[in-house]
Each structure stands twice: as C-alpha cells, then as structure tokens.
Amino acid sequence: MRTSESKFYVFRYSLVKEQQETLIPVNLPTIKGDAIKVAVTDDREWMDKNVKFSFVGFSDSIRRESKETNKRSSILIGKLARLKKTNVGEKIPGDIVNSVEDDWIPVIVIFDTVEQLIFVQKSSKFGDVKYIAKKLQKGLFDPILLNYNYRVFVEPIPVKGEFWHAVNKYNRIYELNLTLISPNILETNKKARSALEALHSLYSQDKTEIKMKSESGNLKIPELPTEDYVEYIEEGEGEWKLKVNDNGVRKIISSASLTETIELPVHKNVNEVLLNSQYELDVQEVQDYDNVQSRVATKLTDRILDFIKRRHD
C-alpha cells in the first residue's frame, strides 16, 4: 500500500454562545472543539436547499502529543458527501430502460478539535471554498446549538499578509469590508477580541461588519486599527474584501479567494478502512493496513502540527 499527497483547504470553526438559553444546556467538552462530534457521528444526514448531505465515517479520533510544541492533536477523519441523482440507462433485449440512482459525491474532511481547524480535500466536483464553508456550517449548526447552546461558524483561513499585499499593490481602492465573528473561545488577536467583546455585551450580535467606501477610489486604510482586525480574520474569525481598480477594471479581492492550503497524505484503501467499519480484509491486508495507517496517522498529525506552528510563529 502506498500513500499519496492531496491538497486540502483550511478552515476554522468558531463557537459563539447563544444568549437565549435552551431548557437544559450541556456544558462544552473539556476540549471545546470536540463539540462538533455530536454533529458528525452516526453518518448524520441533513437537507440544504432541497439537496441531501451527510457526514460519513467520523467514528474514531487520532490522539498524539507533539514533543516539539507540547500540543495535543485530536483528529477526526471522515467525509462530507452530497447526494446527486443520476440517470442511468440499462440495456435490455430490444430496449434501453432509464432509471434514477443515488450518486454520492464525497470529499475527505479532517477536524483538528484542539485548534478548531477543518481540512477539506480540494475537489472540483464538490464545490469552491465558500460553498464548502456554507455546507459544513449548515451540517454542524443545529446539533451543536441544540446540545450546547452554542452557534457554530465556519470560515476559510486566509494566507497571512495577502491583505496588505493587495492594499499596497493597487493605487485605487473603492471599498473595504471587514466581517468579524463575535468572540470565539480561542485566544485570537486580543485587541480585536476585546473590542468585539464590548460590542457583543451591548448588542449580542453574531457578527460585526465594518464597511468603508470611496466612490473616487481614494480610500485610505491606516495600519492602526485595521491590522488588529485583519489579524483576527487571518485566524479564521471572519472575512475581508477589497474592491480595487485593476488596470481600469473594478474587481473584488477577498480572503476567501486566498485560502490557505496544505498537502496531506491520503490513501484510497486506508480511507476506505477508516470510513467503513464493515470493510473486510485478509490477514496480510490487515498487517499492511495497520502499518500504513500508523505511518499515515503519524505523517498526518506531524503535517498539521507543523502548519499550526507556522501559523503561530
């Protein structure tokens, strides 16, 4: 069995306490990010805009200590799948009979519940970054709210520094839009966090939007306090958008279009085993699988921990 590399988008999920209490709220788990387990286990299905989706195979987690960073890694591996109806033509003597069959389109999804990160395999068949974020949020939202009285928000993590690269690159900027999720349980940028906490105590809002416009394209973007909010967004706590003039054409640049990616090890047979408890193997295949699973798990957690360390540096 050989492993291969696949590119994954990186998202963060945020948990924001709902102000209106449920009848019997359950306390968040010790590792708060483990709250997602109530939503992804048991191959749960849900509908979104008349399309059926499902979390598939999220049953076991990989737990490992990093000697370099002293960080625990709690990882859930499974798939997010969308149901598509496919017309199938079957040839019979003298005719072709058409029938409609289920065609599930899957992507591999990895949750790091300690850092509240989500890694989703890139797939042109499934959808773009914003589409994936919306479907993940929809799938996680109701069970977490019902069980823990927390709202969940999923946002792409943008590449650091790209905001200021865009600001410095374009001479004319017409619009700046900052969308900030209300304080999450993570320790992100503390200045932005404090400001949002103050607003949240007054308004109990889920998100805060800051919009600045200049019809002439002379919008000024000072480093302070903008940098604090950009850093907050770069931790996966919102989104930034810029409307600029690019060689005479107005266009929008957003943090979602500059989402972080990471190369992670995947293996077809290993993932089938991880995601299907009914998978049958002979003795040699079991031994091969155990070896590959161990190597993939180690490599996977090392890559994720390296990514986290790089983002924190």
Side-chain angles (χ1 to χ4, degrees):
M1 291 184 181
R2 294 185 303 170
T3 61
S4 60
E5 300 288 325
S6 188
K7 188 166 288 187
F8 285 71
Y9 292 120
V10 188
F11 303 80
R12 170 164 279 134
Y13 61 100
S14 304
L15 299 168
V16 179
K17 187 172 179 59
E18 172 60 50
Q19 295 303 306
Q20 185 175 350
E21 294 288 343
T22 57
L23 292 177
I24 310 176
V26 178
N27 291 331
L28 285 172
T30 303
I31 298 177
K32 297 178 176 65
D34 280 345
I36 56 101
K37 290 182 179 179
V38 300
V40 304
T41 54
D42 300 324
D43 291 359
R44 193 177 65 84
E45 298 179 351
W46 71 93
M47 297 295 295
D48 185 24
K49 297 182 179 178
N50 297 319
V51 177
K52 183 177 286 187
F53 292 83
S54 178
F55 287 122
V56 183
F58 291 94
S59 56
D60 297 316
S61 63
I62 301 169
R63 295 181 182 273
R64 187 167 176 272
E65 293 272 353
S66 169
K67 295 179 180 179
E68 293 78 15
T69 63
N70 294 320
K71 285 270 189 179
R72 287 178 299 172
S73 185
S74 182
I75 294 173
L76 297 173
I77 302 176
K79 289 183 179 179
L80 169 66
R82 180 182 74 236
L83 179 60
K84 178 183 177 183
K85 297 294 184 178
T86 301
N87 290 315
V88 177
E90 180 183 359
K91 184 181 179 182
I92 62 173
D95 199 3
I96 301 294
V97 177
N98 292 318
S99 61
V100 179
E101 297 186 3
D102 289 351
D103 182 15
W104 286 94
I105 301 172
V107 286
I108 297 172
V109 177
I110 301 168
F111 289 93
D112 183 317
T113 64
V114 175
E115 297 288 335
Q116 293 174 214
L117 297 175
I118 311 174
F119 305 89
V120 182
Q121 188 178 32
K122 291 185 69 173
S123 171
S124 58
K125 292 182 179 180
F126 196 88
D128 62 15
V129 169
K130 292 297 289 182
Y131 180 86
I132 293 170
K134 288 178 181 178
K135 302 315 169 187
L136 284 170
Q137 182 172 305
K138 179 69 175 179
L140 296 172
F141 198 93
D142 288 342
I144 293 175
L145 182 62
L146 180 64
N147 281 269
Y148 299 109
N149 204 43
Y150 273 76
R151 293 178 177 269
V152 63
F153 298 92
V154 177
E155 292 288 344
I157 290 184
V159 177
K160 282 189 173 183
E162 289 298 321
F163 176 84
W164 294 109
H165 175 75
V167 168
N168 295 326
K169 179 178 178 180
Y170 298 101
N171 293 325
R172 292 196 175 277
I173 300 176
Y174 300 96
E175 188 173 328
L176 167 65
N177 190 336
L178 302 175
T179 301
L180 305 153
I181 296 171
S182 292
N184 179 29
I185 53 177
L186 293 177
E187 285 295 327
T188 53
N189 182 283
K190 292 185 177 181
K191 291 182 180 178
R193 181 182 176 87
S194 297
L196 289 171
E197 282 179 341
L199 288 174
H200 186 65
S201 66
L202 291 173
Y203 298 103
S204 299
Q205 82 282 11
D206 293 325
K207 294 183 178 181
T208 301
E209 291 193 18
I210 302 171
K211 291 185 178 181
M212 305 290 182
K213 293 184 178 181
S214 169
E215 293 298 331
S216 62
N218 291 320
L219 188 65
K220 304 300 181 185
I221 303 179
E223 184 174 345
L224 295 175
T226 311
E227 176 68 15
D228 294 334
Y229 294 109
V230 170
E231 288 181 359
Y232 190 85
I233 291 169
E234 287 177 340
E235 293 299 327
E237 305 288 347
E239 181 181 17
W240 58 257
K241 290 182 182 179
L242 288 169
K243 183 181 287 187
V244 302
N245 184 307
D246 186 15
N247 295 322
V249 178
R250 294 192 186 193
K251 73 174 185 180
I252 294 177
I253 304 169
S254 71
S255 54
S257 65
L258 298 163
T259 300
E260 279 271 24
T261 60
I262 181 175
E263 294 279 345
L264 293 175
V266 295
H267 191 288
K268 182 176 183 294
N269 290 339
V270 170
N271 284 313
E272 284 180 352
V273 176
L274 287 171
L275 306 176
N276 186 353
S277 60
Q278 301 303 314
Y279 195 89
E280 295 182 359
L281 302 171
D282 61 31
V283 174
Q284 183 59 49
E285 285 176 323
V286 169
Q287 293 175 350
D288 290 344
Y289 163 68
D290 287 342
N291 291 334
V292 173
Q293 184 191 35
S294 177
R295 291 199 304 271
V296 170
T298 299
K299 194 172 184 180
L300 181 70
T301 52
D302 284 346
R303 289 280 182 86
I304 290 174
L305 289 168
D306 285 345
F307 172 82
I308 293 167
K309 184 175 184 298
R310 176 172 62 83
R311 291 286 303 189
H312 288 176
D313 286 344

